[in-house]
């Protein structure tokens, strides 16, 4: 009897499920809000910076001016600290006092001209002019450098006398023209920068797609219920050895017979007798 090895059964694996991933949607609300912030910051900040430059020019042009060689009448309707500038480039208009000057001027020297300044109040008392003033301006054809400071404590009419060997300049007096302009320019720059940062941040958050959901493809995926396994592959025939032959299978051996059971007779008086084996018949007599 020979033994032929059988090939192990092979199972056909179901195909892996196919999943389609859709792109997430963008946040349109954040994108729109970011654009609004960006435009509002840039336009608003730019408008403030432009307004600061306009205010700077207007402040310089509106300063009071006194020419050299005469006494100019000044009217102070506001109190506080004022600065006197030697203006080496500019224009005189609407001069009040004993001088009638309407002319353009521009100092030719590299250094500021030497000047003597005297300020008198309405009572004829001289007002103290402090040294150590700092600041300058150069805008719209006007150029000046600070030389004195004065504190006006009473509103009224004052007279400023200017004396110098040079005549190609004037003396201007007023508040620092850069003070309000610089403040507005700083605010405008902060608004523009804030709008730019916030706008770009919301734009980036809006352009970022949401997390997509994995959706199984239609008709593809897990195998249907009751997926049958593949049948066994038939065993490949093997070459038999010439010294072996196939033996027919032996017949099955029957188990030894048991004597039949015989139910005992019912004993008198009732009860139950256990079953007993029926003895076999006696053998026949010899011939």
């Amino acid at each position: 009897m020979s033994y032929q090895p059988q090939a192990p059964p092979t199972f056909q694996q179901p195909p892996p499920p196919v999943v389609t991933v859709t792109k997430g949607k963008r946040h349109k609300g954040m994108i729109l809000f970011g654009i609004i912030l960006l435009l509002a910051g840039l336009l608003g900040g730019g408008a403030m910076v432009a307004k600061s430059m306009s205010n700077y020019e207007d402040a310089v042009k509106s300063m009071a001016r006194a020419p050299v060689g005469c006494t100019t009448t000044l009217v102070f309707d506001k109190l506080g600290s004022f600065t006197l500038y030697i203006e080496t480039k500019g224009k005189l208009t609407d001069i009040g006092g004993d001088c009638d000057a309407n002319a353009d001027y521009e100092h030719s020297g590299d250094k500021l001209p030497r000047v003597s300044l005297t300020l008198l109040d309405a009572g004829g008392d001289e007002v103290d002019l402090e040294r150590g003033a700092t600041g300058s301006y150069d805008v719209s054809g006007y150029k000046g450098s600070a030389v004195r400071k004065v504190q006006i404590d009473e509103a009224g009419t004052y007279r400023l006398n200017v004396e110098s060997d040079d005549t190609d300049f004037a003396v201007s007096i007023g508040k620092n023209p850069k003070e309000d302009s610089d403040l507005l320019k700083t605010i405008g720059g902060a608004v523009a920068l804030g709008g730019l940062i916030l706008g770009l941040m919301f734009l980036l958050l809006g352009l970022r797609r949401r997390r997509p959901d994995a959706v199984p493809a239609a008709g593809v995926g897990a195998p249907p219920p009751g997926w049958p396994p593949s049948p066994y592959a038939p065993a490949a025939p093997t070459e038999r050895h010439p010294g072996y032959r196939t033996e027919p299978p032996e017949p099955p051996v029957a188990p030894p017979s048991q004597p039949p059971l015989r139910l005992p007779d019912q004993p008198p008086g009732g009860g139950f007798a256990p079953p007993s084996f029926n003895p076999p018949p006696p053998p026949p007599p010899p011939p």
Side-chain angles (χ1 to χ4, degrees):
M1 180 177 180
S2 63
Y3 173 75
Q4 297 180 359
Q6 301 292 330
T10 59
F11 295 93
Q12 183 178 2
Q13 298 293 334
V18 179
V19 178
T20 59
V21 179
T22 59
K23 294 183 178 180
K25 297 181 179 179
R26 292 187 171 97
H27 300 267
K28 295 183 178 179
M30 286 189 178
I31 295 176
L32 181 60
F33 188 62
I35 294 175
I36 293 175
L37 282 178
L38 185 61
L39 293 178
L42 293 179
L43 294 178
M48 289 184 179
V49 173
K51 182 62 176 176
S52 68
M53 295 300 298
S54 177
N55 291 348
Y56 177 40
E57 295 179 6
D58 294 341
V60 170
K61 292 179 180 180
S62 63
M63 296 175 69
R65 289 172 174 85
V68 181
C70 61
T71 302
T72 304
T73 303
L74 305 175
V75 178
F76 290 94
D77 54 1
K78 295 181 179 180
L79 307 181
S81 179
F82 294 85
T83 304
L84 283 80
Y85 299 84
I86 293 182
E87 195 171 70
T88 57
K89 182 179 180 181
K91 183 178 181 180
L92 291 172
T93 57
D94 300 330
I95 301 300
D98 58 359
C99 296
D100 185 13
N102 289 297
D104 297 342
Y105 49 88
E106 184 173 358
H107 184 61
S108 59
D110 296 334
K111 296 182 180 180
L112 293 178
R114 298 177 63 87
V115 62
S116 175
L117 302 175
T118 304
L119 182 63
L120 304 177
D121 60 12
D125 298 328
E126 185 176 353
V127 181
D128 185 26
L129 300 179
E130 301 177 5
R131 295 179 180 271
T134 58
S136 63
Y137 57 84
D138 187 0
V139 61
S140 299
Y142 292 88
K143 183 177 181 180
S145 300
V147 291
R148 299 287 191 276
K149 291 188 300 182
V150 61
Q151 180 69 29
I152 302 298
D153 296 328
E154 294 182 3
T157 302
Y158 291 75
R159 292 175 297 169
L160 178 62
N161 184 35
V162 181
E163 296 180 359
S164 177
D165 295 336
D166 298 317
T167 58
D168 55 353
F169 73 95
V171 174
S172 61
I173 182 171
K175 295 285 188 179
N176 184 2
K178 290 185 177 180
E179 185 175 356
D180 296 337
S181 174
D182 291 344
L183 178 60
L184 188 59
K185 187 183 297 185
T186 302
I187 296 175
V191 170
L193 182 60
L196 179 63
I197 294 175
L198 292 178
L200 290 178
M201 182 181 68
F202 277 97
L203 277 177
L204 292 178
L205 290 177
L207 292 175
R208 183 179 180 183
R209 295 182 182 272
R210 301 176 184 175
R211 179 177 298 177
D213 298 329
V215 180
V220 183
W227 184 274
S230 61
Y232 290 104
T238 57
E239 182 180 356
R240 298 178 180 177
H241 197 275
Y244 291 92
R245 61 187 179 87
T246 305
E247 297 286 345
E250 296 180 358
V253 180
S257 60
Q258 298 288 343
L261 295 177
R262 180 180 63 84
L263 297 177
D265 297 334
Q266 186 72 21
F272 176 77
S276 62
F277 292 100
N278 189 12

